[in-house]
């Protein structure tokens, strides 16, 4: 573990190894309380969407380090799930390795959204921009 002390801030860097993932503590902030910021380096990596911006379909690609069940859902910029009539949450199984999934986004209004992909170990997200 390496501890870095600056005149006005305290920064701590360390790595924690878990059974299926490695996590890196990237900072400790003190603003109205103590907050830990942890970035996962684990089971879902290289999450990409193509094309960006998209209009009717988007292809999701990612690597999975373990076979697992995944949930996929889309949130608006306010953190609310997109209405199920426009895009229903999807659940599917993935194997180890590169995964690809084509999504129909033709009923979702134009705007900026966040696509969330969750497995049993972590949640990752990426930005989705829809134009018409």
């Amino acid at each position: 573990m390496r501890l870095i002390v600056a005149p006005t801030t305290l920064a701590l860097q360390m790595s924690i190894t878990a059974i299926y993932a490695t996590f890196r503590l990237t900072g400790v902030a003190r603003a109205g309380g103590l907050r830990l910021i942890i970035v996962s380096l684990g089971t879902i990596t290289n999450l990409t969407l193509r094309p960006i911006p998209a209009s009717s379909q988007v292809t999701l690609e990612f690597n999975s380090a373990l076979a697992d069940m995944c949930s996929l859902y889309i949130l608006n910029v306010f953190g609310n799930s997109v209405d199920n009539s426009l895009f229903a949450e999807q659940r599917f199984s993935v194997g180890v390795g590169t995964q690809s999934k084509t999504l129909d986004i033709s009923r979702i209004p134009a705007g900026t959204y966040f696509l969330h992909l969750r497995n049993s170990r972590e949640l990752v997200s990426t930005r989705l921009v829809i134009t018409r």
Side-chain angles (χ1 to χ4, degrees), residues 7-130:
T8 58
T9 62
L10 174 66
L12 175 68
Q13 293 182 355
M14 61 188 266
S15 291
I16 304 166
T17 301
I19 293 173
Y20 291 104
T22 300
F23 299 90
R24 182 178 62 229
L25 179 64
T26 58
V28 178
R30 190 177 193 140
L34 187 63
R35 180 186 301 157
L36 298 178
I37 305 160
I38 299 178
V39 176
S40 171
L41 303 173
T43 60
I44 299 174
T45 57
N46 302 327
L47 178 65
T48 59
L49 285 176
R50 291 189 184 103
I52 295 294
S55 58
S56 61
Q57 284 188 338
V58 67
T59 300
L60 169 71
E61 294 177 350
F62 62 96
N63 291 325
S64 178
L66 50 105
D68 204 352
M69 287 298 295
C70 287
S71 298
L72 176 72
Y73 51 98
I74 297 175
L75 302 176
N76 63 21
V77 293
F78 302 109
N80 301 318
S81 291
V82 170
D83 189 286
N84 278 340
S85 65
L86 303 176
F87 185 88
E89 178 178 340
Q90 299 184 16
R91 296 179 191 269
F92 53 94
S93 62
V94 297
V96 175
T98 303
Q99 311 295 317
S100 180
K101 189 164 183 63
T102 301
L103 308 173
D104 177 15
I105 57 167
S106 61
R107 294 183 295 195
I108 301 174
T112 301
Y113 299 88
F114 296 95
L115 184 137
H116 286 245
L117 179 64
R118 176 186 294 273
N119 67 10
S120 62
R121 305 261 186 253
E122 67 184 311
L123 168 72
V124 293
S125 65
T126 189
R127 187 171 58 113
L128 168 63
V129 177
I130 300 174

